[in-house]
Amino acid sequence: MFSTLDTLEKTIVHLRSHQNNSFAEYPPWKTLMHVALGEIPAAQAEWQSVMHKYVPHTTVSDVLCDYVYDQWCLLTEPLMAGDRAALARLLHGWEASNIIGTKLEPYWRSTSFPLEHSV
C-alpha cells in the first residue's frame, strides 16, 4: 500500500478518505493539508474557525503541548496574508524538525510542496 502513496497528493487523498483517521476532522491538520496542497482560500477558511485559539505567547498544559501550540501560532500571519513563501518555509522547517535526528534522516530528501508550484 505504501508504495502507491508516492506523492503528497496521493497520501492526503488516502488519509482524508480513511474512516479511522482521527486527524481527518482536526482543523489544524485540515488547514495544514490545504496549505501543503496550495489551497490557500480553503486553508484560510478552515483556519478562521480556530485561529482565535492559537494566540502567540499563550501557555498550555505542558512543555510538549506548548511547543506544538507555539508552532501552530506561527501559521496565522502568513496564512491570512496568503504569503506562500513564508508558508513554504514553515512547512520545510516543520518537516526537517520531525526528521532530523531520527533513523529516517539518512533516507529523507526534502522536496517542494505543491504549494510551491501553484499560484
Side-chain angles (χ1 to χ4, degrees), residues 106-119:
Y107 309 100
W108 170 64
R109 299 293 175 261
S110 182
T111 59
S112 58
F113 291 95
L115 162 75
E116 297 171 272
H117 301 289
S118 58
V119 178

Side-chain angles (χ1 to χ4, degrees), residues 1-118:
M1 176 184 80
F2 289 120
S3 64
T4 64
L5 303 176
D6 58 353
T7 67
L8 178 64
E9 294 91 338
K10 288 179 186 177
T11 302
I12 290 172
V13 167
H14 173 75
L15 291 173
R16 283 178 173 167
S17 66
H18 197 278
Q19 296 295 331
N20 295 322
N21 177 6
S22 60
F23 289 115
E25 294 304 315
Y26 181 54
W29 185 87
K30 288 169 63 174
T31 300
L32 197 57
M33 294 307 98
H34 285 303
V35 168
L37 293 172
E39 301 166 350
I40 301 305
Q44 290 168 330
E46 185 69 44
W47 194 242
Q48 283 178 334
S49 69
V50 295
M51 69 184 194
H52 66 279
K53 297 178 184 179
Y54 297 93
V55 178
H57 311 297
T58 302
T59 57
V60 290
S61 59
D62 63 57
V63 174
L64 178 60
C65 288
D66 278 347
Y67 175 77
V68 172
Y69 178 87
D70 288 345
Q71 295 303 300
W72 284 118
C73 289
L74 298 174
L75 185 60
T76 300
E77 187 177 324
L79 176 57
M80 298 324 249
D83 187 341
R84 290 173 175 272
L87 290 166
R89 283 191 300 277
L90 267 178
L91 292 178
H92 285 294
W94 290 341
E95 177 185 43
S97 70
N98 282 286
I99 296 294
I100 294 174
T102 71
K103 292 179 182 180
L104 294 175
E105 184 179 3
Y107 309 100
W108 170 64
R109 299 293 175 261
S110 182
T111 59
S112 58
F113 291 95
L115 162 75
E116 297 171 272
H117 301 289
S118 58

